[in-house]
Amino acid sequence: MPDWLITGCSQLLTLRGAAPRRGQALGDPGIIRDGALFVHGDQIAAVGPRRRIEKLRGARRAEKLDLGGRVVLPGFVDSHTHLIFPASRAAEHQQRIAGATYEQIARAGGGIRSTVQRLRRTPDEKLKIRAFANLHDFSAHGTTTLEAKSGYGLDWKSERKTLQLLHELHQEQPLDIAATFLGAHVVPPEYRKRPEAYVDLVARRWIPTVATAGLAEFCDVFCDRGAFTVAQARRILAAGRACGLVPRIHAEQLARTGAARLAIELHAASADHLEKINASDVGALALSNVVCTLLPGCCFHLGLAHYAPARELIEAGAIVGLATDFNPGTSPTVSMPMILSLACTQMRMTPAEAIAAATINPAYSLRCHDRVGSLEVGKYADLAAFDVDDYREIPYYFGVNLCGLTMKRGTVIHSKNR
Ligand SMILES: [Zn+2]
């Protein structure tokens, strides 16, 4: 692969420095005006002002890529997606518009369980084609690394199938995919009357097999009203951790259950959602290393007025992240720029805070901040270039894709002609 000298970056947001970022540090994107990068192989070999970088010996011989004044940032790290699913749930969207709640639809057999029924019947190849197309769209919106969960199979054959598909996709297309085992998404229909037996099965049988086969790095539980209790989540996540699977948790979305406290207790990598946390939870999270991954796309799609308390978390010093929560029920979007718009308008994050929360902090939550999440020497050349004059225009515009070019590990994987 060629070496690259990348110039024409009117603003180069490096996000350099210590990770993860908290408090005021979240608002400092480390901007270089008229910046340049020298890429050797799949890594950044030099980054700085153009005048310095273009004089480097290797850079003079490299292929030239002039971005023509675009704003350049690290590729987005989307740390919460449900990538593999068989179909949309647009009919439920219409039911919600007519007044049904998410939980009413779930109790009537819709929601996650309807996706489970359908995924079990869908051939692998169909699921894979759909995921391939979605991954292409992620990269076209500037995402270069993502996390993806199982959890629409809920029997061993389908959970294994999902995790194997994620492994194949990681090998066969450019984006890096970190796999999470979410066998405890909801209690599957065949265990409805004996949920403890299902918890037992997940904790004692499936988790050791997933870990031994290397099918996932992380373990997640949907710990909420109508899903799993804190006690059940503790059992599952502790079993995962004992096998080397790092805990993540769906916490405090529908009701305040104590799941955020459980995340702290178990040293989870991430507690996701957090719409229902209170002031004392904010204080406890701020003292921990748990990334508070906020998912505003979910509130938007569900038409809710109440979003997670991002400002309180930032001001208390918590590690705040943002993700799409790409899934067919509550957040059908691949667009991190749209998530940035929602974070700014609905949760009053500044554009700089939102960008740090979409790059370096989620990289920390995926334990890959030594390789991605900022534009620094030795990290992968993973970047997104936007057709704007100022980085604040990325969340300012919405409903339009302004990502003009995406590079993953030194290879251009998306390019829009201007
Ligand atoms: Zn989720």
Side-chain angles (χ1 to χ4, degrees):
M1 68 198 298
D3 291 350
W4 292 105
L5 171 63
I6 303 173
T7 58
C9 314
S10 61
Q11 296 178 333
L12 181 61
L13 279 64
T14 61
L15 281 296
R16 66 193 162 207
R21 289 174 171 236
R22 303 171 185 261
Q24 294 215 324
L26 201 64
D28 171 21
I31 298 182
I32 300 169
R33 284 174 204 285
D34 193 12
L37 292 138
F38 171 45
V39 175
H40 176 62
D42 59 4
Q43 288 181 13
I44 297 167
V47 54
R50 174 179 54 80
R51 285 180 200 198
R52 180 170 75 76
I53 301 301
E54 65 189 6
K55 283 191 198 123
L56 297 172
R57 183 198 299 261
R60 276 182 284 169
R61 284 196 299 265
E63 297 265 348
K64 309 291 186 283
L65 177 60
D66 181 351
L67 293 175
R70 283 172 167 142
V71 170
V72 176
L73 37 147
F76 294 123
V77 178
D78 192 344
S79 61
H80 186 138
T81 84
H82 302 257
L83 177 67
I84 307 283
F85 58 83
S88 89
R89 299 212 303 262
E92 286 179 16
H93 185 218
Q94 188 169 341
Q95 286 174 278
R96 287 207 309 270
I97 293 163
T101 68
Y102 178 76
E103 286 174 283
Q104 284 165 348
I105 292 168
R107 277 198 298 273
I112 293 167
R113 289 183 185 89
S114 71
T115 297
V116 169
Q117 301 294 6
R118 189 139 175 197
L119 180 133
R120 289 176 178 178
R121 298 194 306 262
T122 306
D124 296 17
E125 208 44 41
K126 264 199 153 160
L127 292 170
K128 196 168 173 179
I129 289 166
R130 192 178 180 94
F132 249 107
N134 290 327
L135 287 164
H136 177 80
D137 291 340
F138 273 102
S139 63
H141 288 79
T143 296
T144 48
T145 298
L146 53 87
E147 181 262 16
K149 304 175 195 294
S150 70
Y152 291 130
L154 308 185
D155 60 24
W156 176 240
K157 184 169 152 268
S158 310
E159 285 294 298
R160 187 186 55 196
K161 165 169 94 174
T162 304
L163 293 172
Q164 280 172 341
L165 277 175
L166 291 175
H167 180 75
E168 288 171 28
L169 288 162
H170 178 68
Q171 304 290 324
E172 294 168 19
Q173 57 75 56
L175 303 190
D176 283 316
I177 302 174
T180 296
F181 176 57
L182 178 58
H185 200 181
V186 288
V187 176
E190 53 276 31
Y191 283 87
R192 198 168 243 178
K193 295 218 169 87
R194 43 197 192 104
E196 290 302 330
Y198 185 67
V199 171
D200 221 49
L201 178 68
V202 172
R204 292 173 61 173
R205 301 276 295 277
W206 293 356
I207 282 176
T209 314
V210 165
T212 310
L215 288 170
E217 286 174 65
F218 299 95
C219 185
D220 194 345
V221 174
F222 186 10
C223 179
D224 217 319
R225 189 170 68 199
F228 293 90
T229 66
V230 167
Q232 291 168 334
R234 181 183 287 110
R235 238 193 105 200
I236 292 165
L237 294 174
R241 204 175 55 176
C243 296
L245 302 179
V246 179
R248 315 183 78 80
I249 188 165
H250 284 67
E252 329 278 9
Q253 177 192 10
L254 305 170
R256 181 167 177 268
T257 61
R261 302 295 179 131
L262 179 65
I264 298 167
E265 172 193 323
L266 294 174
H267 302 281
S270 182
D272 301 34
H273 280 294
L274 305 179
E275 287 87 347
K276 293 289 199 293
I277 54 174
N278 66 16
S280 92
D281 298 328
V282 169
L285 286 162
L287 293 173
S288 79
N289 288 323
V290 177
V291 178
C292 302
T293 303
L294 311 182
L295 309 169
C298 221
C299 302
F300 174 75
H301 191 74
L302 291 172
L304 305 176
H306 179 74
Y307 286 69
R311 278 262 57 90
E312 287 84 342
L313 285 164
I314 293 168
E315 271 140 37
I319 310 169
V320 171
L322 290 167
T324 59
D325 191 15
F326 177 59
N327 80 81
T330 59
S331 191
T333 182
V334 297
S335 171
M336 279 301 260
M338 179 67 191
I339 297 303
L340 300 190
S341 296
L342 292 173
C344 294
T345 58
Q346 304 300 313
M347 303 197 296
R348 297 179 46 241
M349 290 174 72
T350 67
E353 289 170 342
I355 288 170
T359 53
I360 190 63
N361 280 359
Y364 174 78
S365 96
L366 294 179
R367 304 293 186 249
C368 58
H369 53 293
D370 57 333
R371 284 164 280 153
V372 304
S374 65
L375 299 175
E376 293 178 280
V377 172
K379 287 199 173 183
Y380 288 138
D382 288 7
L383 56 89
F386 285 82
D387 291 330
V388 294
D389 299 318
D390 182 306
Y391 76 88
R392 292 173 295 186
E393 293 172 23
I394 298 170
Y396 165 84
Y397 291 107
F398 70 96
V400 55
N401 184 18
L402 294 169
C403 179
L405 180 139
T406 309
M407 175 177 274
K408 176 68 188 171
R409 296 196 194 197
T411 300
V412 175
I413 58 169
H414 158 74
S415 176
K416 202 163 66 173
N417 287 329
R418 279 193 288 187

